[in-house]
Every structure is written in structure tokens, then in C-alpha cells.
Amino acid sequence: MRYLLELKEDDGLCRQAQNSGTFYLFHNLFPFLQKVGSKHLAPQISASELKRILKKFKQNKQKLEDSVLIGCSDECMAYFALDLGSLEKMDIESELKGSFIELRKAFFQLDGKDAPLLSLAQALLRWHDTHKYCSKTGQPTQKNLAGSKRVCHTNGIIYYPQMSPVVITLVSDGSRCLLARQASFPQGMYSALAGFCDVGETLEETVRREVAEEVGLEVESMWYSASQHWPFPNSSLMIACHATVWPQQNEIRVNKLELEAATWFSLEEVVEALRREPRPLKQEDGRFSLWLPPKWAIAHQLIQEWVKQQSTMPA
Ligand SMILES: NC(=O)C1=CN([C@@H]2O[C@H](COP(=O)(O)OP(=O)(O)OC[C@H]3O[C@@H](n4cnc5c(N)ncnc54)[C@H](OP(=O)(O)O)[C@@H]3O)[C@@H](O)[C@H]2O)C=CC1
Ligand SMILES: [Mg+2]
């Protein structure tokens, strides 16, 4: 932790780390991935291999300094992300034997270790790409080497990467839990309800408002579970909560502008869905089986907690 802070504050140290670290590559924000069976793996490219590639594609090794710091190993090996959008995509793909794939498309097939790093990397690269100018003076801003901030040197304003707070809530009526899907979700996938916090709201107010807006239910009680960074649509901090509604007032009124469907699911249905692989599965009747976000997604954690809680409740 302390080493990461030093890298953020000391450009010279960060430059040294770039020359011995490893890199996750992107092309116009699409991560470089290799497919292994049904999974997508994100290879880490060593600094020496990256320099060889940059030389081959007639790029200056200064290009390494466009990268952003995304973490480090227990042995202080720094991880960076670099976007090679200025190079020909297919040439790099054939050189490195993999593909640049849209993160949304590959996200649920990623390894639990790669997903948080790629999420952070994409969010940070996107933030730098959209904050190249000072919004007060219109002058170019400059990133520090680690990419943890940008500075406008004409007026000294420092810009830090931002996240939008989002609540994700698993609603229960005591014996069932409410899962919903947006039209943009992969076929058959359901998740907990989610919504952005409005300016000035507390998390509790957001939970009550989102549940009322999306499914027409009044929250009786709620409690916090955990949080997770989420890269879509830009960079969100997902704050996960459980909520209950009164069993006598559990009639769902789906807001079709926001959701395609929302339904109460029994413990048995949820347990069965948790056993399935997190990907679309077409049944013989042409419909898709219910499946849930993968283990490392916070929605999955909420659902697992609910199942555990149901199993320990007196009959
Ligand atoms: N991990 C999981 O299982 C799930 C994760 N999510 C994530 O949660 C997040 C929020 O869920 P979602 O249901 O879409 O949110 P909302 O229910 O708040 O609805 C989204 C709409 O809110 C408006 N909005 C308000 N503030 C923002 C902001 N800061 N950034 C973008 N849009 C904003 C936009 O409307 P307009 O465009 O009209 O202005 C947008 O279309 C998403 O990032 C989604 O990826 C969602 C469901 C499950
Ligand atoms: Mg929503």
C-alpha cells in the first residue's frame, strides 16, 4: 500500500517501476484478451516485451509513460495499463496472439483475479482520455506519471479521477427475493436492482427511491453489505444493500422504461441458478435459463448472503 502511494507521488520512482513492471494492454479502451476454453484471460506483458513490440511498430519507448498505474504485487511488482489505440489493432493482435474485445462482452467470462484490475484500468484510461483539458481555462492538463491525477499548470487546479456512487439492492419479502433484468443484459441473466445516487441523497434515500421507481415497492428495512468498483457505464462505486418489504405489500409494478422484467424468485430457483455457469443457456423450448452474475460480482455476493440467511431462518 505504502509503495503504491510512493509511486503515485514520485514520478522518478514510477518511471523506474514502468521499466520493470508488467502491462495490461488496451486498444481504444478494449482490453487485450486471450480465449482459453470458455474463459477470457488478460495476459500481463513484461516491460521488455512491450518495448520490443513498440520498437517493431516504430513507436518511441517514451510511449510507456502514457500508461497508468493500476496496482502492484506483494513483491512490489507494479502493474500498469497502456492504451495502444494509435497503432493498427490487427497487427498487435497477430503479434501477441489474442484479441482486443469490448469489456462488456467479455466481462462475465473473465477470471476473478483479472476482472477488478481490468475494471480499474479501463475506468482510469477512460477518465484520462476525457479529461485532457481544464474545464475552467480550456488549457491542456498534464497527468502525473502514475496517472492518479491531472494538473492544469496555468492555474494549478488538480483533477482527480471520479466515481459515481450507485446502490445495488437485493429486495426480499421474507421468503423470496426480487431479481430484475434490463433489456441490455445478456439473455437469461437477472440481477439485483441498481441505481445512481442523486446529488444530496443519502444511500438509504437512494435505496428507497430506486426500489419505488423501478418496481413500485416500499422498503421496510435495509442494511449495508459490501462495495465494489464497477467500470460501466464509466466508473461507479457499487454499494450493496439488502432490503425487505412487507409480505402483504409485495405486488411488483415494473417500470418498463428502466427494466425489461422483475420477478420474485423462490429459494429453490435461486439455488439452482447459482449452480449454473454465468452465461446464456438456451432451453429446448427456446427460452433462456435463469443465470446470475459471476462469483466476483457484488450482486452474486448479495444473492449468496440471502440464500445463507434463508437457510438459517427458523421454518
Ligand atoms: N453488478 C450488477 O449485477 C449490476 C450492475 N449494474 C450497474 O449499476 C449501474 C446503475 O444501474 P442502472 O440501473 O443503469 O441505473 P439507474 O436505475 O439509475 O438508471 C440509469 C439512468 O440513470 C441516469 N443517470 C443518473 N445519474 C447517472 C450517472 N452518474 N451516470 C450515468 N447515468 C446516470 C441515466 O439516465 P439518462 O441517460 O436518461 O440521463 C441512466 O440511463 C450501472 O452502471 C450498471 O452497469 C446494474 C445492474 C446490475
Ligand atoms: Mg436501475
Side-chain angles (χ1 to χ4, degrees):
M1 289 293 172
R2 174 89 35 101
Y3 180 57
L4 274 181
L5 180 65
E6 287 168 5
L7 292 178
K8 287 177 189 171
E9 300 204 327
D10 183 339
D11 280 359
L13 194 64
C14 191
R15 192 169 286 112
Q16 276 176 27
Q18 278 172 344
N19 279 290
S20 56
T22 59
F23 290 76
Y24 288 88
L25 298 183
F26 285 74
H27 191 278
N28 291 330
L29 300 178
F30 284 24
F32 179 76
L33 300 172
Q34 287 169 334
K35 199 151 195 259
V36 180
S38 63
K39 290 247 168 226
H40 282 106
L41 299 182
Q44 291 182 28
I45 313 289
S46 69
S48 54
E49 170 72 345
L50 182 55
K51 282 184 212 163
R52 181 191 69 75
I53 294 162
L54 290 175
K55 195 169 173 197
K56 180 161 182 182
F57 292 109
K58 302 193 173 32
Q59 295 290 305
N60 194 307
K61 66 173 193 266
Q62 290 283 104
K63 180 95 186 139
L64 286 193
E65 299 197 0
D66 291 346
S67 62
V68 293
L69 176 70
I70 55 171
C72 74
S73 69
D74 292 344
E75 295 76 34
C76 291
M77 157 83 81
Y79 308 138
F80 296 90
L82 178 63
D83 198 303
L84 296 177
S86 57
L87 304 188
E88 192 51 56
K89 182 165 157 273
M90 279 181 358
D91 292 348
I92 315 167
E93 289 178 334
S94 66
E95 179 71 23
L96 291 175
K97 302 193 176 32
S99 317
F100 291 101
I101 301 176
E102 191 181 346
L103 188 58
R104 259 185 203 281
K105 291 201 178 132
F107 205 53
F108 289 153
Q109 274 75 54
L110 288 176
D111 189 77
K113 172 182 70 64
D114 291 336
L117 278 178
L118 289 186
S119 299
L120 160 62
Q122 196 207 44
L124 205 49
L125 289 170
R126 181 187 282 113
W127 182 80
H128 282 284
D129 192 40
T130 51
H131 289 77
K132 288 181 177 158
Y133 296 90
C134 174
S135 55
K136 190 166 171 67
T137 64
Q139 294 300 310
T141 55
Q142 199 182 357
K143 91 171 179 55
N144 65 339
L145 221 62
S148 58
K149 59 186 166 187
R150 298 188 75 90
V151 181
C152 172
H153 288 292
T154 55
N155 61 7
I157 295 183
I158 304 174
Y159 293 91
Y160 294 98
Q162 293 150 347
M163 296 190 287
S164 302
V166 169
V167 290
I168 179 159
T169 312
L170 186 65
V171 178
S172 170
D173 71 350
S175 59
R176 298 171 301 170
C177 77
L178 194 158
L179 298 171
R181 54 174 280 110
Q182 298 178 13
S184 60
F185 283 7
Q187 300 270 27
M189 190 191 97
Y190 278 68
S191 188
L193 300 174
F196 290 95
C197 296
D198 282 347
V199 170
E201 262 182 345
T202 63
L203 296 180
E204 293 81 350
E205 285 165 346
T206 311
V207 169
R208 289 184 193 283
R209 177 181 55 74
E210 282 292 335
V211 172
E213 279 178 8
E214 297 197 349
V215 291
L217 294 171
E218 193 184 330
V219 167
E220 178 202 10
S221 66
M222 75 183 83
W223 61 100
Y224 168 79
S225 167
S227 63
Q228 178 180 55
H229 176 258
W230 193 251
F232 311 118
N234 292 309
S235 185
S236 304
L237 177 64
M238 307 282 300
I239 301 142
C241 298
H242 290 276
T244 59
V245 295
W246 282 279
Q248 308 87 325
Q249 292 173 20
N250 62 4
E251 190 192 332
I252 299 171
R253 282 175 292 123
V254 181
N255 178 344
K256 288 284 187 179
L257 290 176
E258 301 210 16
L259 298 174
E260 188 180 78
T263 316
W264 290 111
F265 288 94
S266 68
L267 179 61
E268 294 71 31
E269 288 171 307
V270 173
V271 168
E272 201 182 320
L274 282 170
R275 290 203 193 102
R276 292 199 187 101
E277 284 289 309
R279 64 184 129 107
L281 178 68
K282 204 168 189 175
Q283 300 171 157
E284 277 177 8
D285 61 8
R287 293 192 306 174
F288 284 85
S289 304
L290 169 68
W291 61 278
L292 303 168
K295 283 195 178 66
W296 46 262
I298 199 133
H300 187 105
Q301 186 176 323
L302 279 175
I303 296 165
Q304 285 281 15
E305 284 170 356
W306 179 78
V307 165
K308 203 166 165 196
Q309 184 197 321
Q310 289 300 108
S311 324
T312 54
M313 270 183 22

